[in-house]
Amino acid sequence: MTTSHGLRGFTLSAATLMALAMAPAAIGQDNSFPYTDENCGVTTVYDAAPGKAVTLSNNATELMLALGLEEHMAGTSYMANLKISPAYEEAYGQIPILSPLVATTEQLIEAEADFVYAGYPDGFSESRHTRDQLHDLGMTTRLNVEGCNLGAFGFAELFAEIRSVAGIFGIAERGDALVAELTTRLDAVKTRLEGTEPIPVFIYNGGEDSPNGVLGNTLLSQAVAAAGGANIFADVANRYGQVSWEQIAEREPEYIVVFYSGTASGQVVADPDKELGEARIAALKAAPAIANVPAVLNDRFILVNSVQGQPGPSTVDAVETLARAFHPEAFAK
């Protein structure tokens, strides 16, 4: 594999899993390579599928497992104390967990990683290891494009990400099958929601004195929209940012989606659902400025952790869960 640098750019069902297993598209077919990956300003030419991939985030892990790539993985990291989605639990159990946080350079070297994949920017940084530093150690890298594209990120971009990773491993057919599966599930939700009106939703990302919101350029905002909601800060062309209690009160959300990861201040949290998710609900209920907001009055809070909320195949699980909560009448029949 060769890498050049330059500022040049950007749950499967049981039946589908069986079809993939029986498909003739083996990893690394002769006609799949060379494959050129253009990713966030880095161009990489792959002459063969990586054999010892390491993931630096939970959504990157799940995307690779959804493509059936566990035999090509030398390790995972940054799950903290969150749980892998049930669909990938068995495959996940076969792969070494290098760290509950982002794997260190030393851990990547020890695992003999030849491909390092981060689902969001935390994986590559000056304080840990940059992509250039890993390239110098003989590793190739990829960053989910939401991490370098500050523009809007939707399901089309997620599907492009899936196809890019599939291309790196020479399994384009598997990528197409996964995209088709996820598209079918999204279409099924859309059909159910025909005739319903979107309800206003605030996506809360912590902060007590000044609340932080998940804004319009995230996949989670698009997931809320696909579920029949309308992010009350969808008009803010950014990913995450500070909002105000007064703005939330003015926009009167009917539901509040509480978003959280498995870490706080860079440390692993023992029970993220309780210590972060439920604690954030308590903070919302204790905020006087939003006491009369419909979501608070009616106790309408939905927990979404980063396994489903960061861009990956399980974001479609979030769409299905949110849609049932927002519009239960559409799923009663």
Side-chain angles (χ1 to χ4, degrees):
M1 303 171 208
T2 57
T3 305
S4 62
H5 312 279
L7 299 178
R8 295 206 292 148
F10 184 158
T11 359
L12 289 176
S13 67
T16 302
L17 287 170
M18 182 175 293
L20 291 179
M22 298 174 64
I27 290 178
Q29 286 182 322
D30 290 342
N31 61 357
S32 299
F33 298 102
Y35 176 81
T36 301
D37 183 45
E38 300 277 2
N39 172 239
C40 298
V42 176
T43 300
T44 309
V45 179
Y46 292 85
D47 298 317
K52 291 190 174 183
V54 174
T55 51
L56 303 184
S57 61
N58 49 46
N59 59 327
T61 299
E62 290 207 339
L63 194 152
M64 290 194 64
L65 294 180
L67 289 169
L69 291 169
E70 56 269 21
E71 292 184 1
H72 283 246
M73 296 175 68
T76 68
S77 64
Y78 211 4
M79 183 62 73
N81 279 322
L82 297 174
K83 290 182 172 59
I84 197 83
S85 298
Y88 313 123
E89 190 173 3
E90 183 178 352
Y92 183 68
Q94 303 172 25
I95 307 166
I97 299 172
L98 304 186
S99 173
L101 295 171
V102 174
T104 65
T105 307
E106 291 73 19
Q107 288 168 328
L108 294 173
I109 293 170
E110 186 175 349
E112 300 180 346
D114 59 357
F115 174 70
V116 183
Y117 180 33
Y120 37 94
D122 298 34
F124 303 122
S125 65
E126 295 290 343
S127 62
R128 292 190 174 97
H129 36 239
T130 65
R131 295 182 72 176
D132 282 345
Q133 288 169 336
L134 296 181
H135 299 158
D136 290 343
L137 291 169
M139 305 174 197
T140 56
T141 63
R142 182 172 174 87
L143 172 62
N144 186 301
V145 295
E146 192 194 41
C148 63
N149 168 28
L150 296 181
F153 189 100
F155 285 100
E157 287 75 22
L158 172 63
F159 296 160
E161 181 73 18
I162 289 169
R163 289 189 166 105
S164 292
V165 175
I168 289 169
F169 286 85
I171 51 165
E173 293 85 351
R174 289 194 197 180
D176 290 341
L178 177 57
V179 168
E181 172 77 11
L182 298 175
T183 300
T184 297
R185 291 170 58 192
L186 288 171
D187 287 345
V189 172
K190 184 177 181 180
T191 298
R192 287 276 191 174
L193 295 178
E194 285 180 1
T196 63
E197 291 294 324
I199 61 169
V201 177
F202 172 49
I203 313 173
Y204 178 53
N205 193 31
E208 295 185 24
D209 295 332
S210 298
N212 297 310
V214 177
L215 308 175
N217 284 0
T218 59
L219 184 61
L220 185 51
S221 183
Q222 296 302 312
V224 164
N231 179 1
I232 61 172
F233 293 107
D235 58 323
V236 183
N238 208 330
R239 287 181 294 187
Y240 306 97
Q242 194 175 92
V243 295
S244 73
W245 295 119
E246 291 72 23
Q247 286 175 308
I248 298 166
E250 289 169 3
R251 301 186 187 199
E252 298 184 313
E254 295 283 343
Y255 272 87
I256 297 178
V257 172
V258 178
F259 181 54
Y260 58 100
S261 68
T263 61
S265 300
Q267 300 300 312
V268 175
V269 172
D271 186 346
D273 294 342
K274 181 177 181 180
E275 296 178 49
L276 295 176
E278 292 178 18
R280 288 182 178 180
I281 291 176
L284 289 162
K285 289 181 175 180
I290 62 167
N292 293 318
V293 160
V296 177
L297 286 173
N298 296 305
D299 200 29
R300 290 176 173 171
F301 302 98
I302 306 172
L303 297 178
V304 174
N305 65 39
S306 62
V307 174
Q308 294 188 344
Q310 292 286 357
S314 289
T315 305
V316 176
D317 295 347
V319 171
E320 293 167 341
T321 299
L322 294 172
R324 289 178 182 278
F326 297 162
H327 299 282
E329 72 288 349
F331 294 85
K333 41 192 171 179

